[in-house]
Amino acid sequence: MSNDYPDLDHGAPAQEDRLWQGNGWTARVIKNEDDDGWAVAMIKDGEPEPALVGPWTMGRDKKNPKPLDVNAFNTLVKTANEVLRRHEQQLHAQLHKSVSVDDIRVCLDITPDEDDPYATLSAFDQYGEQLARVRVALNFKLSATSASAWIANGYQKP
């Protein structure tokens, strides 16, 4: 993406027809390379890539994009924040799973370290006291059946 805009790091946030900044975000209206339309990219401050890219409305002349304004920008910020929140929730759900067997809660936590990713299996009683904790293979599948087998086996490494 070429930078057709003045240096944005100095002075007040930009609030232009195709560039709007505020609330930790930058909205940039860009030419859609796939067709004759326009798109808007929402970039969170400090991030190299857009969190959200979506279609943008054509202006009245049907050639140029509709100018950004405060209401459109606020809606885009809300939408981009929701997208990030859903991604974080999905990632959390992938990395942290738990099942209950009787009064014991068994948790599988994956630590996605770049050099040494690993998984930990933990058991907790009804009061939240940890009963056991072992390192397991990253591909360990936590289910009620596998948790029951681990408990029955005296919390030995599966």
Side-chain angles (χ1 to χ4, degrees):
M1 184 180 335
S2 67
N3 189 358
D4 298 328
Y5 303 99
D7 186 358
L8 303 175
D9 296 336
H10 301 85
Q15 295 184 338
E16 303 168 7
D17 287 354
R18 294 188 191 178
L19 180 72
W20 202 281
Q21 295 177 309
N23 301 331
W25 289 91
T26 298
R28 185 182 306 262
V29 176
I30 54 177
K31 187 79 174 121
N32 186 340
E33 296 172 10
D34 295 334
D35 64 24
D36 293 334
W38 294 87
V40 62
M42 290 298 294
I43 305 164
K44 189 165 181 65
D45 288 356
E47 294 295 323
E49 297 292 322
L52 174 70
V53 177
W56 188 244
T57 307
M58 296 288 251
R60 290 184 179 182
D61 66 2
K62 302 296 181 204
K63 287 190 346 191
N64 293 304
K66 177 182 167 189
L68 284 165
D69 61 31
V70 68
N71 293 329
F73 180 74
N74 288 337
T75 299
L76 288 165
V77 167
K78 181 179 176 186
T79 302
N81 278 322
E82 289 172 2
V83 166
L84 288 182
R85 189 170 52 252
R86 281 195 302 269
H87 283 235
E88 289 167 1
Q89 289 170 342
Q90 181 181 13
L91 180 60
H92 182 80
Q94 289 174 341
L95 299 178
H96 306 283
K97 299 181 185 312
S98 70
V99 298
S100 291
V101 176
D102 298 324
D103 288 334
I104 298 174
R105 185 170 48 92
V106 177
C107 301
L108 177 66
D109 296 298
I110 297 172
T111 303
D113 186 279
E114 274 188 41
D115 297 325
D116 185 26
Y118 63 93
T120 306
L121 195 59
S122 306
F124 300 89
D125 68 14
Q126 61 199 14
Y127 305 108
E129 293 292 320
Q130 187 173 24
L131 302 172
R133 180 181 178 106
V134 296
R135 201 163 167 162
V136 295
L138 279 174
N139 62 354
F140 181 86
K141 300 289 185 214
L142 180 62
S143 67
T145 302
S146 65
S148 293
W150 182 52
I151 294 166
N153 197 26
Y155 304 106
Q156 294 297 312
K157 186 174 180 175

